[in-house]
Amino acid sequence: MFTRKDIVKLIIPLIIEQILLMTIGMTDTIMVASVGENAVSAVSIVDSINTLLINVFSALATGGAVVTAQFLGMGKIGKACKSAKQLILVAFSFSILIMSICLIGNSFILNTIFGQMDKNIMQDSMIYFSVSALSYPSLALYNSGAAIFRVMGNSKVSMVNSFLMNVVNLIANYIFIYIFDMGVLGAGLGSLIARTFSSICVISLLRFSKGDVRIKKLFRLDFDFKIIKNILAIGVPNGIENSMFQIGKILVQGLIITFGTSAIAANAVAVSVANIAIIPGMAVGLAMITVVGRCVGAKEFDQAKKYIKNLTLTSMASLTFINVIIILICPFIISVYKLTSETASLASQLIIYHSICAILIWALSFTLPNGLRASNDVKFTMIIATISMWVFRILFSYILGKYFNMGVMGVWISMTIDWLFRAIVFTIRYFSGKWQNKIFVE
């Protein structure tokens, strides 16, 4: 169903898009570093919550993408268009609810999760969190619109939008942070403006799309609960899985805070670089949804199995390439952040360790299961991921980080133990063939 050229045309723009999306958070961290390590820590802490919510929006987008992809595989263009609109309606409604909760409960949420942090970091975190919350509807719309374009095999649209988002974010950050000296507030406003601009662009393009999927009468609230049920059947388990993953990271972040400002800042920098280090794998994983979803819709399971294998191997190769480069230029990367010598040394250790593990096991842990999700095997991936998160990542973080006095390095080792468990179980699942012949959308 897809030639090698088709897949390359899908993946390359996705890699560029993911780089550009990750660069927004990284740009905020680098530019706000001029304000001090407290500001860097605040942005990192709030971004751990933002990442949780972004992953929830992405889970909904994945649910909608799988449903739309399967309808396209069946040749049901009308239902594909209808499912795309239902995704937009559900994602936007849900994001408004989440935004309201975060704005009202700003102080309560931060104090509950990160109550032990320094008062100055807490104050900056509250400011950045409030402005970030205003961008949640834009994030939800952008993720949904981009997912729909990817399903059509058109990843260039979201790539161009990501580029424009970065340009707007960079200009706004420069004005707010360097000219008006607004610190974390300036970083938050820059991201808000950039995300709002990008969401308007991608939804407008979807409205006038010349591809198979086009959304007509965008502002008519004609909910179709049968299609919504199909979207949620995939999106909710995926959302629970992603949420558990990010909640675990937030809880671990609370542990890292107890290790001191140097550990917090080193972790913040390492996380920013680690996000870049896995971009090729994430891009291939997104392509997997489109490719395998359409194969499953057409009931071509042999092709689906072949594409899962080939795309996972592609992910491994691309992760090897980028992480070898990161290891080689790690000293230069660290120098950009202007850290103290203690913080710089710790950040370097975390980055190198992460890159080595990303080369060896990340693709099997996170790219491969996207093929299972695209075939409706979402409950299995949810259960395994949730168990792995709580047993390995969280429990082992406290054991290694706190009780064995390994600090933040112990936390990162626990994270990779979680990866290893997932890799083993998902690989066994793939070869068992039990992910095939699941219930289709109708």
Side-chain angles (χ1 to χ4, degrees):
M1 295 183 68
F2 293 85
T3 65
R4 180 174 297 179
K5 183 178 179 181
D6 291 333
I7 293 176
V8 170
K9 287 174 64 177
L10 181 62
I11 291 176
I12 297 300
L14 281 174
I15 292 175
I16 298 172
E17 177 192 353
Q18 293 304 305
I19 291 172
L20 293 169
L21 288 174
M22 292 295 182
T23 302
I24 289 182
M26 201 170 182
T27 299
D28 286 351
T29 303
I30 292 173
M31 296 184 78
V32 85
S34 62
V35 182
E37 289 191 357
N38 283 347
V40 173
S41 299
V43 170
S44 172
I45 287 166
V46 174
D47 276 346
S48 65
I49 300 175
N50 287 339
T51 303
L52 164 64
L53 297 173
I54 289 170
N55 274 273
V56 172
F57 301 145
S58 295
L60 276 176
T62 298
V66 170
V67 171
T68 303
Q70 291 187 9
F71 278 136
L72 288 175
M74 295 175 187
K76 298 180 179 180
I77 305 301
K79 285 198 172 184
C81 294
K82 198 168 187 179
S83 68
K85 181 175 181 180
Q86 297 308 304
L87 169 60
I88 297 295
L89 292 175
V90 170
F92 184 72
S93 301
F94 181 69
S95 66
I96 292 294
L97 174 63
I98 296 299
M99 178 189 72
S100 301
I101 292 173
C102 291
L103 288 173
I104 295 170
N106 181 320
S107 177
F108 174 77
I109 293 170
L110 289 173
N111 278 289
T112 300
I113 302 173
F114 308 113
Q116 299 182 50
M117 78 172 76
D118 178 84
K119 289 184 179 179
N120 292 325
I121 298 178
M122 174 62 79
Q123 185 177 5
D124 283 344
S125 298
M126 291 175 65
I127 294 171
Y128 189 67
F129 189 26
S130 294
V131 182
S132 294
L134 295 173
S135 71
Y136 293 161
S138 295
L139 282 169
L141 289 175
Y142 175 82
N143 281 332
S144 300
I148 294 167
F149 273 109
R150 286 194 292 268
V151 163
M152 291 188 280
N154 185 351
S155 53
K156 290 182 180 179
V157 168
S158 53
M159 178 191 71
V160 173
N161 269 274
S162 296
F163 174 75
L164 295 175
M165 190 192 306
N166 270 270
V167 172
V168 173
N169 184 61
L170 185 63
I171 294 172
N173 274 356
Y174 181 83
I175 294 171
F176 293 134
I177 296 174
Y178 293 126
I179 297 179
F180 292 107
D181 195 25
M182 296 175 69
V184 294
L185 175 59
L189 288 174
S191 297
L192 171 61
I193 292 170
R195 288 165 176 168
T196 301
F197 170 80
S198 188
S199 67
I200 292 172
C201 288
V202 76
I203 294 301
S204 297
L205 289 170
L206 190 59
R207 171 66 179 82
F208 300 102
S209 169
K210 294 181 180 180
D212 290 335
V213 180
R214 178 180 177 183
I215 297 181
K216 299 179 180 180
K217 300 178 182 178
L218 184 61
F219 299 104
R220 178 181 291 181
L221 302 180
D222 48 348
F223 290 94
D224 186 318
F225 293 101
K226 183 177 181 180
I227 293 179
I228 291 174
K229 181 181 177 181
N230 286 330
I231 293 173
L232 295 181
I234 298 170
V236 170
N238 194 31
I240 292 173
E241 177 185 338
N242 288 350
S243 298
M244 290 298 101
F245 183 75
Q246 295 303 324
I247 287 172
K249 291 177 69 174
I250 291 173
L251 292 175
V252 170
Q253 181 76 29
L255 173 63
I256 291 173
I257 287 172
T258 66
F259 299 147
T261 301
S262 180
I264 297 173
N267 184 71
V269 171
V271 167
S272 295
V273 178
N275 286 337
I276 297 294
I278 60 175
I279 281 175
M282 294 174 63
V284 177
L286 290 172
M288 184 94 77
I289 295 293
T290 297
V291 174
V292 176
R294 294 183 72 158
C295 289
V296 169
K299 299 185 180 181
E300 293 285 350
F301 284 104
D302 287 340
Q303 288 196 53
K305 187 172 184 178
K306 180 189 73 173
Y307 285 128
I308 292 174
K309 175 186 174 181
N310 291 343
L311 288 172
T312 301
L313 292 174
T314 300
S315 177
M316 295 176 72
S318 60
L319 286 168
T320 299
F321 176 76
I322 191 171
N323 280 280
V324 167
I325 293 175
I326 287 174
I327 291 171
L328 293 175
I329 67 171
C330 186
F332 170 75
I333 294 173
I334 295 297
S335 68
V336 172
Y337 286 91
K338 301 177 182 178
L339 303 170
T340 62
S341 58
E342 178 186 356
T343 304
S345 176
L346 181 56
S348 180
Q349 293 174 34
L350 296 176
I351 290 169
I352 292 173
Y353 175 76
H354 176 274
S355 288
I356 292 171
C357 293
I359 291 170
L360 297 175
I361 55 178
W362 195 93
L364 294 174
S365 308
F366 297 100
T367 303
L368 187 151
N370 262 13
L372 306 182
R373 295 182 188 102
S375 64
N376 303 326
D377 198 21
V378 288
K379 290 183 180 179
F380 179 82
T381 58
M382 176 192 71
I383 292 170
I384 295 303
T386 302
I387 292 173
S388 183
M389 166 59 66
W390 288 98
V391 174
F392 297 107
R393 185 176 296 234
I394 297 177
L395 180 60
F396 274 57
S397 288
Y398 279 88
I399 293 173
L400 298 181
K402 187 172 182 178
Y403 294 105
F404 282 87
N405 296 315
M406 295 178 67
V408 68
M409 178 56 78
V411 171
W412 283 60
I413 291 173
S414 301
M415 172 184 72
T416 55
I417 294 173
D418 168 36
W419 292 6
L420 181 60
F421 177 78
R422 293 168 187 252
I424 293 171
V425 176
F426 291 143
T427 300
I428 293 172
R429 182 70 168 185
Y430 167 76
F431 282 109
S432 74
K434 293 180 180 179
W435 52 275
Q436 301 181 46
N437 298 307
K438 297 289 180 179
I439 299 174
F440 297 98
V441 296
E442 298 177 355

